Amino acid sequence: MTAVSRALSGSIRVRAPAKINLHLSVGALRPDGYHELVTVFHAVDLADELTVTRAQRHTVRSEPAHGVPVGAKNLAGVAARMLARRSGLGGPVAIEITKHIPVAGGMAGGSADAAAALVGCSALWGLDIGRGELVRMAAELGSDVPFALTGGTAVGTGRGDRLSPVLARTPLQWVLALSGEGLATPAVFAELDRLRELGDPPRVGPVRDILAALASGEAAAVAGALGNDLQAAAISLQPGLRRTLRAGIAAGALAGLVSGSGPTIALLCADAESAGSVAAELAGSGTCRAVRVATGPAPGARVVGTL
Ligand code: C5P
């Protein structure tokens, strides 16, 4: 890695998207503690924004801060330190996160912040770093971090970190129902393993169905092909999610599913107008803490300005 003629002295502003898994097929538990996955990631325009500034020491602040890991546990800080160490060209940075992605919500908010930190620091320090190297570092940071760098719509295999882009013809309109309490990803995977030991909960169909639906550009076809093996486990841990899903469908959504490991519920709507009315009705239903509307696909982590 080389630098530094393009290094910047001010602050860099970076934005990174939340994701929904349109399809999430969970395979066997591997010896390394991860599950083999086949998933279709879909980035939406609900995004966190980070400001990265040179500083005397590494710090991370988030607004709002509730639930966001602090100190050495914050993945954005870990990402900045990793890039500084590997490149040998960076220094301490102050990272400020404006948090819009629900914390512990199954939308990869922490991964988005890590991807944003990689992109922001590499711009701040003027690193001449290839995309491949950045993606390798992203995969070390977490299974969902490579996708937060890439954005769009993509198939993920392995533990979700090996990506291939997907043709997705039209924008999809979503309503997101946020839960009052988060779910820890490892607990949801462990619950699925437990449910599978007890019996065999239904599994999602083949990934080709959702790929064909995306290529058709028909929201109704996409709605018919959505599926998530982690949904039964998330509902087992938060049974109230069933009510949220029912309320979303009753309000007019085409289909709904748990996003990733949950507990956020993603409801696919026919168009922006329908999303507006589903959001309004759901917000008054008493079945979730808050409601957001979002559109996908959205781009991956990117610099949006300097200060
Ligand atoms: O990669 P990441 O740190 O985001 O994963 C968090 C946890 O989620 C893992 O420690 C593991 O318990 C679970 N996980 C899994 N299989 C995957 C991805 C995550 O079991 N493919």
Side-chain angles (χ1 to χ4, degrees):
M1 222 179 287
T2 57
V4 175
S5 57
R6 287 171 287 118
L8 296 170
S9 55
S11 298
I12 302 279
R13 283 172 49 227
V14 195
R15 203 170 290 157
K19 62 82 185 162
I20 297 166
N21 300 79
L22 304 179
H23 171 100
L24 178 47
S25 164
V26 180
L29 175 62
R30 310 190 314 198
D32 64 2
Y34 286 90
H35 293 74
E36 204 60 36
L37 301 183
V38 178
T39 187
V40 177
F41 290 111
H42 177 71
V44 294
D45 61 356
L46 178 71
D48 282 354
E49 192 163 305
L50 270 69
T51 305
V52 184
T53 313
R54 289 173 199 282
Q56 296 297 319
R57 59 190 183 91
H58 283 289
T59 56
V60 181
R61 279 209 339 237
S62 172
E63 178 54 45
H66 185 71
V68 176
V70 292
K73 288 208 179 110
N74 187 283
L75 210 53
V78 176
R81 282 192 296 273
M82 180 189 278
L83 187 59
R85 205 169 48 245
R86 300 274 172 93
S87 67
L89 295 165
V93 287
I95 297 175
E96 294 196 23
I97 305 173
T98 306
K99 197 91 200 128
H100 295 291
I101 305 174
V103 178
M107 300 198 74
S111 302
D113 298 346
L118 289 178
V119 168
C121 290
S122 115
L124 185 71
W125 299 330
L127 301 183
D128 182 17
I129 181 170
R131 193 78 189 164
E133 210 170 333
L134 220 49
V135 170
R136 273 192 295 281
M137 265 184 253
E140 279 184 56
L141 288 160
S143 310
D144 293 339
V145 185
F147 178 71
L149 274 182
T150 307
T153 305
V155 174
T157 55
R159 58 188 174 91
D161 57 327
R162 293 211 303 267
L163 299 173
S164 317
V166 164
L167 175 66
R169 278 194 193 282
T170 45
L172 298 174
Q173 308 292 335
W174 298 91
V175 172
L176 305 168
L178 278 47
S179 171
E181 260 178 80
L183 278 174
T185 303
V188 180
F189 275 100
E191 179 66 3
L192 179 61
D193 291 337
R194 192 185 72 82
L195 294 176
R196 283 181 173 174
E197 269 173 32
L198 294 174
D200 206 11
R203 292 180 188 243
V204 297
V207 69
R208 64 169 181 273
D209 293 355
I210 186 80
L211 298 180
L214 287 165
S216 80
E218 298 291 330
V222 175
L226 295 172
N228 178 3
D229 277 346
L230 289 176
Q231 177 157 316
I235 290 177
S236 169
L237 295 173
Q238 268 193 33
L241 295 178
R242 228 188 271 282
R243 282 180 60 224
T244 319
L245 276 165
R246 275 202 294 266
I249 301 300
L254 298 172
L257 85 173
V258 168
S259 173
S261 56
T264 306
I265 300 285
L267 294 148
L268 181 58
C269 298
D271 51 36
E273 194 186 337
S274 161
S277 67
V278 169
E281 195 167 327
L282 200 60
S285 72
T287 63
C288 54
R289 175 177 64 80
V291 167
R292 304 276 182 270
V293 290
T295 302
R302 67 215 184 277
V303 173
V304 293
T306 52
L307 291 173

